Amino acid sequence: MIAILMAGVQLQVANYQNIVDDRPLLSGDYPSHYTSYKVSEDVLSLALRQWPHYSVNEKQVLISRLSKVTGSAHLSEALLKIFHLEKSLKVKSQILSTLVYMEQSASSLKSLEKLVKDKTFSLDAFTVLAKNSSAEVLKPYLNKSDEYVIVACLSGKVDDARLLMKVLSRTKAEYKKELLLKQLARINENAAYKKCENDFQRSKFIASSHSSDFLVKQSRLKQFAVSAFLRMSELEWNKSFNDEAKRAVLNANDDIKLAACSVLVEKSDNREFLLSRVYKLPIAAGVLAIEVFSAEAIPASLHSDFCTLEKGADAINLAKLAVMEDQAMEEGKDSVLNILKHSTNPDVTKACLRYLGVMKYRVDSKSLKGLEKKRQAAFQQGLIFYLAAVAKDSDIKGLVKYTQTKDMTIRQAFFDGVAHNPKTDFSKLIQPGLKSRKDQKKNTQPSSAVRAYMIWAMTNSDHVNNRSLFELKKLITEKLVKVPLSENTFDPSYVRENAYLCLAHWAKQGSSEAKRMFKESKEFVEWQKEVGEEYRDSFDQVVDMAEAMLIGKEMDKSYFYSKTLSTRMIDRPIR
């Protein structure tokens, strides 16, 4: 019998505090795939005791599963013990292959050093050793065989340039030459560049180099400039890289300009230089250049130039408009209205309307009527966002139809606009979508994503009514979503999480009803967890966010996705 218990551990989850400033939490904000594993020590011990009784096929299946566990030095030690007990050469080779990417303890490394002396498994054992040891430890082995040097190059653990050059001179295989040349580049042995036999090898050498002088020299050669600038962008910024990139942007061809921009966007000091040339650059380079402006607030002295848009440059205008909206730059009104008047691109029109809506700039009624006639989705979404974002209390009655349409993208755009218009009271339009889902025949109920935007709009608003707060509490504590031929179920986790944060926000604002609804929701969530109801780990972050919000602090804690898998019992041969 084989029994393995594994628990998946996911990469770090995004910081929800940063997300909810721009939009509600949505389904894609929570990871869903495993990235690493760990094995139960007790079950591993049982498997080791049973090892002699397994067939070769069963052993191979077990090792294959254990190969997913890369962070356990204890498992590596156990596999080496199995290696010495095992008689099958096939299984032994599989164990060594598995150990390459596993964490190794000091005792495991000593055992591997002894195993390198075994002719049958010498190279396989050295491969594990090379992956997990320093270049200094590997030095005594490298003069024994060229194959050892090649393997050490795979791990970047050779710093003897003379040895590498000797091995290169007698190596015939192309892939081995490539490995040797890349390692020579890593240790800045620039003289080895002359040994490259073709442009492919030269490009690989450049892509591995750490030498500033060498890369600057190659960036001046038309044939290899792109490779050189891309490598510069991967290394730590320095002035010589920056100066060469500026030179290329002024004089080189389009491909080289794009690669040079990847260097320049690393430094905010280049903003003025890039802005003055952004519309003269190739489209892809121009869009890339705008990235340097999105990382931090643009200085006021550059606002006017940045907000000037040019007709026909749709891709660059789109990139600019996103930054202008995000940083609420006031200087763009006239330029945006001019682009809106002449543009036929739906995405550009949508971005213009979003900016104008966020900034509360009015568009003349004639232009709006013209947009209403255009049926493309982007035109409609931009228009609805704008109407919601600039609406006043007196406009509410005319907007009801956008909350009842069957097109959920229109509803989402509407409530996104509502979230950017906190002064107008939209409570009467939000509340129906939060109620229990009993009126499906009369009006199509909002999708979960739309409901998330509705709740986020409530959070951002200056207005709230007690009935809506009560509906949020019901949404968290009751199963309201109807499932055909089955019992009701809860809204998706992200919808309930937005509701939980909204209640916490209004409790922080001093609403007595919100305080009561939040307290009841919190008690319900805590009770459900105690009785074993499944809650995504994301809810833990949301609960902590809410608590921090109530005391006026921000969290400084990181969150990771984890989930326990069920025990897999195998009580018959695996064939």
Side-chain angles (χ1 to χ4, degrees):
M1 178 184 71
I2 303 174
I4 306 174
L5 176 63
M6 292 184 177
V9 182
Q10 183 53 277
L11 295 173
Q12 184 173 341
V13 177
N15 187 333
Y16 291 166
Q17 286 179 151
N18 297 331
I19 292 175
V20 296
D21 287 339
D22 299 320
R23 60 169 175 79
L25 298 176
L26 298 171
S27 59
D29 295 324
Y30 191 66
S32 58
H33 298 288
Y34 300 120
T35 54
S36 61
Y37 297 81
K38 64 183 179 181
V39 65
S40 164
E41 304 290 351
D42 293 338
V43 178
L44 177 61
S45 298
L46 173 63
L48 296 182
R49 291 196 299 271
Q50 296 293 325
W51 186 264
H53 305 293
Y54 300 150
S55 69
V56 170
N57 194 30
E58 287 174 325
K59 290 174 181 177
Q60 289 183 300
V61 170
L62 178 55
I63 293 170
S64 178
R65 289 178 182 167
L66 292 174
S67 68
K68 297 176 181 180
V69 186
T70 57
S72 172
H74 176 68
L75 176 58
S76 298
E77 292 175 0
L79 287 174
L80 279 170
K81 289 178 183 177
I82 291 174
F83 177 90
H84 293 296
L85 295 173
E86 183 55 46
K87 295 179 180 179
S88 168
L89 294 180
K90 186 186 293 186
V91 174
K92 280 176 173 273
S93 294
Q94 185 180 357
I95 289 173
L96 289 176
S97 297
T98 297
L99 287 171
V100 172
Y101 298 101
M102 284 188 171
E103 183 180 321
Q104 305 295 326
S105 65
S107 62
S108 292
L109 292 174
K110 287 182 180 179
S111 179
L112 287 163
E113 288 176 19
K114 294 178 182 178
L115 195 55
V116 171
K117 299 174 183 178
D118 185 328
K119 290 184 179 180
T120 306
F121 300 104
S122 178
L123 193 58
D124 288 341
F126 182 76
T127 302
V128 184
L129 195 64
K131 182 70 175 178
N132 296 278
S133 302
S134 66
E136 195 64 31
V137 171
L138 300 181
K139 275 185 179 179
Y141 300 94
L142 299 181
N143 288 316
K144 295 180 180 180
S145 165
D146 288 357
E147 291 300 320
Y148 282 28
V149 177
I150 299 297
V151 169
C153 285
L154 280 167
S155 301
K157 303 286 180 65
V158 190
D159 53 15
D160 187 337
R162 291 182 64 187
L163 175 62
L164 287 166
M165 292 293 280
K166 283 182 181 179
V167 176
L168 178 64
S169 66
R170 53 180 179 251
T171 297
K172 302 298 182 183
E174 287 297 318
Y175 79 94
K176 291 181 180 180
K177 288 181 181 179
E178 182 186 327
L179 288 171
L180 291 163
L181 287 166
K182 286 171 69 174
Q183 185 59 26
L184 284 161
R186 290 190 194 106
I187 62 174
N188 294 335
E189 186 63 24
N190 297 334
Y193 185 67
K194 296 178 181 178
K195 299 293 183 180
C196 295
E197 298 172 350
N198 51 55
D199 287 350
F200 178 77
Q201 289 181 355
R202 293 183 186 97
S203 295
K204 290 293 184 182
F205 192 98
I206 293 169
S208 301
S209 177
H210 289 262
S211 171
S212 297
D213 291 342
F214 173 76
L215 289 172
V216 167
K217 182 179 179 181
Q218 296 305 311
S219 72
R220 294 171 181 169
L221 301 176
K222 184 177 180 180
Q223 194 171 2
F224 300 110
V226 171
S227 296
F229 282 124
L230 290 177
R231 181 57 178 162
M232 289 178 188
S233 69
E234 296 170 352
L235 300 176
E236 185 177 353
W237 182 91
N238 70 51
K239 189 174 184 303
S240 61
F241 289 171
N242 205 73
D243 290 344
E244 282 305 309
K246 282 185 174 181
R247 178 194 61 77
V249 164
L250 294 174
N251 302 307
N253 64 35
D254 287 358
D255 290 339
I256 296 174
K257 285 180 179 179
L258 176 59
C261 280
S262 69
V263 175
L264 295 176
V265 296
E266 297 295 321
K267 195 73 171 176
S268 60
D269 291 350
N270 294 317
R271 288 183 295 195
E272 187 171 357
F273 173 83
L274 289 170
L275 183 57
S276 65
R277 293 163 178 80
V278 69
Y279 286 109
K280 299 175 184 177
L281 291 170
I283 293 174
V287 172
L288 178 61
I290 299 301
E291 284 189 13
V292 75
F293 298 93
S294 60
E296 55 189 70
I298 301 174
S301 59
L302 298 180
H303 279 201
S304 179
D305 287 342
F306 188 88
C307 292
T308 301
L309 308 178
E310 288 194 7
K311 297 176 186 177
D314 290 347
I316 296 173
N317 288 342
L318 277 171
K320 276 191 170 187
L321 284 162
V323 177
M324 290 163 61
E325 178 190 330
D326 186 56
Q327 299 192 22
M329 298 169 69
E330 298 177 351
E331 292 82 355
K333 178 183 178 182
D334 293 338
S335 185
V336 172
L337 285 172
N338 186 46
I339 292 294
L340 180 65
K341 183 178 179 180
H342 295 95
S343 178
T344 57
N345 185 313
D347 292 322
V348 172
T349 300
K350 178 180 177 180
C352 287
L353 288 167
R354 283 190 61 92
Y355 168 78
L356 294 168
V358 168
M359 300 306 299
K360 305 296 180 286
Y361 293 144
R362 289 283 175 174
V363 179
D364 64 90
S365 57
K366 183 179 179 181
S367 297
L368 290 179
K369 286 181 179 179
L371 290 169
E372 287 176 353
K373 297 176 182 178
K374 297 182 179 180
R375 308 316 303 167
Q376 291 100 320
F379 282 126
Q380 290 294 303
Q381 291 163 22
L383 177 61
I384 302 311
F385 176 93
Y386 170 80
L387 292 174
V390 300
K392 296 181 179 179
D393 289 338
S394 58
D395 301 322
I396 295 295
K397 190 174 181 180
L399 300 175
V400 173
K401 59 183 178 182
Y402 301 123
T403 69
Q404 298 176 348
T405 176
K406 293 181 180 180
D407 187 341
M408 293 301 156
T409 62
I410 294 297
R411 289 203 204 186
Q412 182 172 310
F414 177 79
F415 287 110
D416 192 3
V418 169
H420 289 81
N421 189 2
K423 293 184 178 180
T424 300
D425 187 357
F426 289 93
S427 300
K428 292 181 180 180
L429 300 188
I430 292 175
Q431 188 176 312
L434 300 177
K435 288 185 176 181
S436 59
R437 296 24 161 197
K438 293 181 179 178
D439 60 347
Q440 286 180 323
K441 293 181 180 179
K442 184 178 180 181
N443 287 314
T444 304
Q445 287 298 296
S447 65
S448 297
V450 171
R451 199 143 39 237
Y453 270 90
M454 293 169 68
I455 296 167
W456 182 58
M458 272 185 67
T459 307
N460 289 344
S461 179
D462 293 342
H463 309 273
V464 72
N465 63 48
N466 290 344
R467 182 63 195 181
S468 293
L469 295 172
F470 173 73
E471 294 296 345
L472 288 185
K473 192 266 293 187
K474 283 182 64 178
L475 186 149
I476 296 170
T477 60
E478 295 183 23
K479 296 181 177 182
L480 300 175
V481 178
K482 293 185 179 296
V483 180
L485 304 178
S486 183
E487 65 176 82
N488 288 5
T489 187
F490 285 116
D491 269 288
S493 288
Y494 67 90
V495 178
R496 300 170 74 208
E497 289 162 5
N498 284 299
Y500 196 87
L501 290 174
C502 185
L503 287 176
H505 166 79
W506 283 106
K508 172 65 176 175
Q509 297 304 310
S511 166
S512 57
E513 183 70 5
K515 290 178 181 178
R516 186 167 69 88
M517 295 298 105
F518 177 76
K519 181 174 181 293
E520 292 180 14
S521 298
K522 178 182 177 183
E523 290 173 350
F524 177 82
V525 171
E526 290 175 347
W527 168 75
Q528 282 217 306
K529 287 189 173 185
E530 285 179 6
V531 298
E533 289 293 329
E534 185 175 335
Y535 271 78
R536 282 187 168 189
D537 292 357
S538 56
F539 225 110
D540 292 338
Q541 182 176 172
V542 167
V543 168
D544 290 348
M545 277 179 65
E547 293 300 322
M549 187 189 300
L550 290 171
I551 60 175
K553 291 185 177 181
E554 287 195 0
M555 296 183 307
D556 56 359
K557 179 180 176 183
S558 297
Y559 292 81
F560 296 83
Y561 169 72
S562 63
K563 185 176 181 180
T564 302
L565 297 179
S566 59
T567 304
R568 174 77 183 273
M569 304 295 291
I570 304 169
D571 54 8
R572 54 185 176 276
I574 308 170
R575 296 288 192 265

